[in-house]
Amino acid sequence: MISVKNIIKTFEDGVTVLKGVDCEIKKGEVVAIIGPSGSGKSTLLRCMNLLCVPTYGEVWLKDSLLTPVDPYLHTEVIEASNTYKKLIAEGMDGSEAIKKIKAEDLLKEKFSSAEGKAYKAEIKKIYNESHIDINLARQRMGMVFQHFNLFNNLTVMENLTLAPTQLKLKTNEEAEQIAMTLLKRIGLEDKADVYPSTLSGGQKQRIAIVRALAMNPDIMLFDEPTSALDPEMVGEVLDLMKQLAGEGMTMVIVTHEMGFAREVADKIIFIDEGIIKEQGTPAEIFGNPKDARLKDFLSKVL
Amino acid sequence: MNFFNSIGVLITNEKYMGMLFEGLGTTLLISVFAALLGLVLGTLVAIVGISGDSPIMKLPKLICKLYVTIIRGTPMALQLFIMAYTIFAIRGFPKEITAIIAFGINSGAYVSENIRAGILSVDIGQTEAGRALGLNGKTTMVKIVIPQAIKNVIPAIGNELIALIKETSIVSMIGMYDLTQAAKVIGAGNNMASYVVPMSVAACFYLAIVYLLTFAIKKIEGKLRAGDKR
């Protein structure tokens, strides 16, 4: 469903938080991303729907490319470059030349040179074939935030219907019907006409989840959905997420709730220092961790 | 004749009151349209100011920055003179329009800073939530950010409007007949021969306008704050 390919993210202040991350989220899979704070796990999640734009690398949603084309990820693009042709002419082996170009970042100046016509054409071809508008892609990816981010100027009902109606996916009546069904599902139908400021944290987060569901997404991204909640409200949010997982929703969850990750996730990704240090099933990660940093991390949080 | 007697004479004198109301009309006309122009200009400048750093926006951004710096950095009276005697120095050009444009441009510079601050005061999470649902930047701005920003800037905008109304009292410098000018004429030697009384009555007029405006702003703010706890 989502493929993240060699994502590198450097912020404006020069700090590199992701240093080459590859991962694949399959349809119906529930993936938990864990790791110490500052490890880049939220950044990785935010890169998946481009709230955070990766510096290098590509993000794919099914067959659609969300980011610009990263030339290093496409052999045919490298092979079309002048650098590659030069290396081959010097007698270098093809795969070795590609390796050298990737390792030494030799394609950099090619973007501005006039000679790289074939190279540019290859990039354009991939782009035209696969790239989709980010707003269209985001309609298919729900996102839930740590701080809920319900629209404060709108009622609960309006929060749920704003996107479907503004994007002309639903009429007002359809959207309201769907919203009501979703609110009934979480037992908050009586809150339809109140403003978010009157709700508890748990209620806000559950409404934030159904707001994303109102768009009928293919995948849901959760960015530490329970971290800002009072302890007694964590349960209600996790229960709703469990229900979703049970219904086969594809989910990516950045979380500190190890018990929840162990119980619900199909796959766990452990990120530290900007790279994926280990990934596997909950049994492998919690039962038999191999990476030293993971062992250390688990000993602190469990 | 003491002060209060003179007031009584003035407010029972049909001619004098007619002059004050005529001046009041001009003051209101300039204030209302200059305020509207200022709000529109200010909003545009604020949106340009906070827009992303794409190359196309470089020139507009520079222009907006210059505009705010120059207008806020020079006296209003001077701007009014330049507008009346240089830019619109056309025989028969309506002075009301000159004044509205001068005050509107002046107000816009202050309003833009207020609105910019208001937009920045809205949590970035609100924008992110909108964008994450697939809404484009414009819809997110119009439906989510600006309504919340307006609520935050209303007190500051109210201040600006109040200042604007009183600042229009300098239009007599380009020969316009506003509330202050009416008071001056009434106070001149061939009329009441005392400035204190007509000026005090005119002050009451200003006070009344500002009081009504404050009341209206409070009402609007209360309505917009329906979604807030505080």
Side-chain angles (χ1 to χ4, degrees):
Chain A
M1 180 81 71
I2 290 187
S3 308
V4 170
K5 292 181 178 169
N6 196 31
I7 289 282
I8 297 171
K9 174 67 190 179
T10 306
F11 283 116
E12 278 165 20
D13 54 7
V15 180
T16 302
V17 276
L18 294 176
K19 299 169 183 165
V21 173
D22 284 276
C23 67
E24 171 98 39
I25 284 105
K26 296 195 191 76
K27 190 172 163 53
E29 209 173 33
V30 177
V31 177
I33 303 175
I34 60 171
S37 45
S39 57
K41 49 190 193 312
S42 279
T43 309
L44 172 61
L45 190 83
R46 290 162 60 84
C47 278
M48 287 181 184
N49 70 352
L50 254 58
L51 278 186
C52 174
V53 181
T55 318
Y56 293 105
E58 291 177 356
V59 178
W60 291 74
L61 175 65
K62 285 182 186 155
D63 301 323
S64 313
L65 177 63
L66 308 188
T67 53
V69 177
D70 183 345
Y72 291 102
L73 293 173
H74 302 276
T75 319
E76 66 269 32
V77 175
I78 298 180
E79 282 172 359
S81 73
N82 289 318
T83 318
Y84 177 83
K85 285 172 197 156
K86 218 164 80 190
L87 288 173
I88 294 293
E90 284 167 7
M92 198 180 251
D93 177 58
S95 60
E96 228 168 85
I98 291 176
K99 223 182 260 170
K100 185 177 160 72
I101 287 171
K102 279 187 184 174
E104 296 174 20
D105 203 2
L106 294 177
L107 289 180
K108 245 183 186 164
E109 78 277 26
K110 280 293 154 200
F111 273 103
S112 52
S113 85
E115 310 156 326
K117 251 188 185 164
Y119 166 78
K120 272 182 200 158
E122 284 292 340
I123 289 184
K124 209 160 189 190
K125 198 177 123 202
I126 297 169
Y127 187 88
N128 288 343
E129 274 172 8
S130 332
H131 191 268
I132 67 162
D133 179 47
I134 185 60
N135 291 327
L136 285 176
R138 282 175 181 154
Q139 291 176 23
R140 291 154 56 191
M141 316 163 91
M143 176 131 183
V144 175
F145 299 86
Q146 182 178 356
H147 296 288
F148 332 125
N149 296 349
L150 290 179
F151 304 133
N152 297 324
N153 57 322
L154 303 177
T155 63
V156 167
M157 176 57 86
E158 289 164 345
N159 262 275
L160 266 64
T161 56
L162 178 74
T165 53
Q166 281 296 319
L167 295 166
K168 307 229 175 357
L169 303 172
K170 296 278 184 319
T171 65
N172 265 334
E173 282 152 27
E174 284 170 341
E176 273 177 26
Q177 239 171 34
I178 293 168
M180 216 53 203
T181 316
L182 286 165
L183 286 175
K184 273 186 191 140
R185 174 183 176 164
I186 56 171
L188 293 177
E189 65 268 34
D190 55 326
K191 301 286 186 191
D193 295 321
V194 308
Y195 285 93
S197 59
T198 59
L199 301 170
S200 74
Q203 290 172 333
K204 281 184 194 169
Q205 195 60 302
R206 285 185 290 146
I207 287 166
I209 292 173
V210 294
R211 175 177 69 180
L213 290 178
M215 290 293 288
N216 200 15
D218 298 334
I219 182 165
M220 290 280 284
L221 310 175
F222 294 85
D223 189 2
E224 303 195 22
T226 57
S227 298
L229 293 175
D230 291 338
E232 77 265 26
M233 291 169 183
V234 170
E236 59 189 78
V237 172
L238 292 184
D239 282 343
L240 177 58
M241 289 167 66
K242 260 182 229 172
Q243 277 180 32
L244 283 181
E247 289 161 16
M249 174 63 82
T250 313
M251 293 160 75
V252 187
I253 309 160
V254 171
T255 187
H256 292 290
E257 298 284 334
M258 293 303 148
F260 174 76
R262 181 185 245 167
E263 187 187 339
V264 176
D266 301 309
K267 185 165 96 176
I268 293 188
I269 294 176
F270 173 68
I271 291 198
D272 186 38
E273 295 167 334
I275 56 170
I276 295 182
K277 287 273 172 76
E278 193 166 341
Q279 54 181 313
T281 62
E284 287 166 0
I285 295 287
F286 292 107
N288 185 20
K290 295 183 187 68
D291 182 79
R293 294 279 308 188
L294 174 57
K295 282 181 194 167
D296 181 47
F297 174 72
L298 289 177
S299 74
K300 279 179 193 150
V301 297
L302 288 182
Chain B
M1 204 160 41
N2 68 28
F3 178 75
F4 294 103
N5 282 339
S6 305
I7 298 251
V9 168
L10 196 162
I11 58 175
T12 50
N13 185 317
E14 228 168 79
K15 183 183 136 212
Y16 290 161
M17 285 312 274
M19 287 162 81
L20 282 177
F21 275 109
E22 192 192 335
L24 176 69
T26 310
T27 296
L28 285 177
L29 176 81
I30 298 171
S31 302
V32 168
F33 286 99
L36 290 176
L37 179 62
L39 283 176
V40 172
L41 260 179
T43 309
L44 286 177
V45 172
I47 288 174
V48 171
I50 55 151
S51 62
D53 281 321
S54 68
I56 336 161
M57 293 307 290
K58 259 200 180 139
L59 186 65
K61 270 191 168 182
L62 182 73
I63 293 171
C64 288
K65 219 173 174 180
L66 271 176
Y67 161 67
V68 173
T69 309
I70 292 172
I71 295 296
R72 292 204 307 172
T74 56
M76 179 66 232
L78 213 61
Q79 292 166 23
L80 187 63
F81 274 138
I82 292 173
M83 202 58 85
Y85 299 127
T86 311
I87 297 172
F88 292 120
I90 307 161
R91 191 187 295 260
F93 191 85
K95 286 216 173 86
E96 287 81 4
I97 294 183
T98 309
I100 286 169
I101 292 176
F103 282 101
I105 287 179
N106 182 272
S107 182
Y110 291 93
V111 168
S112 76
E113 284 297 291
N114 291 339
I115 292 188
R116 194 177 65 89
I119 290 175
L120 292 180
S121 74
V122 177
D123 181 20
I124 183 75
Q126 297 284 311
T127 310
E128 286 184 348
R131 299 306 305 274
L133 283 165
L135 299 172
N136 62 26
K138 192 183 140 212
T139 310
T140 309
M141 189 53 96
V142 171
K143 292 282 170 185
I144 298 159
V145 179
I146 289 184
Q148 294 183 52
I150 285 178
K151 197 167 58 183
N152 293 341
V153 299
I154 279 202
I157 299 268
N159 257 345
E160 168 53 29
L161 293 182
I162 288 169
L164 172 70
I165 289 170
K166 289 178 298 178
E167 203 155 25
T168 58
S169 62
I170 63 170
V171 289
S172 62
M173 294 174 83
I174 59 165
M176 289 185 72
Y177 192 87
D178 75 324
L179 186 52
T180 304
Q181 179 63 16
K184 270 197 257 176
V185 173
I186 295 169
N190 52 353
N191 288 314
M192 288 186 80
S194 157
Y195 285 120
V196 183
V197 171
M199 287 287 181
S200 303
V201 176
C204 290
F205 277 60
Y206 281 111
L207 189 64
I209 306 172
V210 170
Y211 183 79
L212 282 175
L213 182 67
T214 314
F215 181 75
I217 289 169
K218 277 263 155 61
K219 272 268 177 275
I220 294 171
E221 202 188 340
K223 216 167 191 179
L224 288 173
R225 290 213 179 273
D228 292 6
K229 260 184 192 158
R230 269 181 296 172

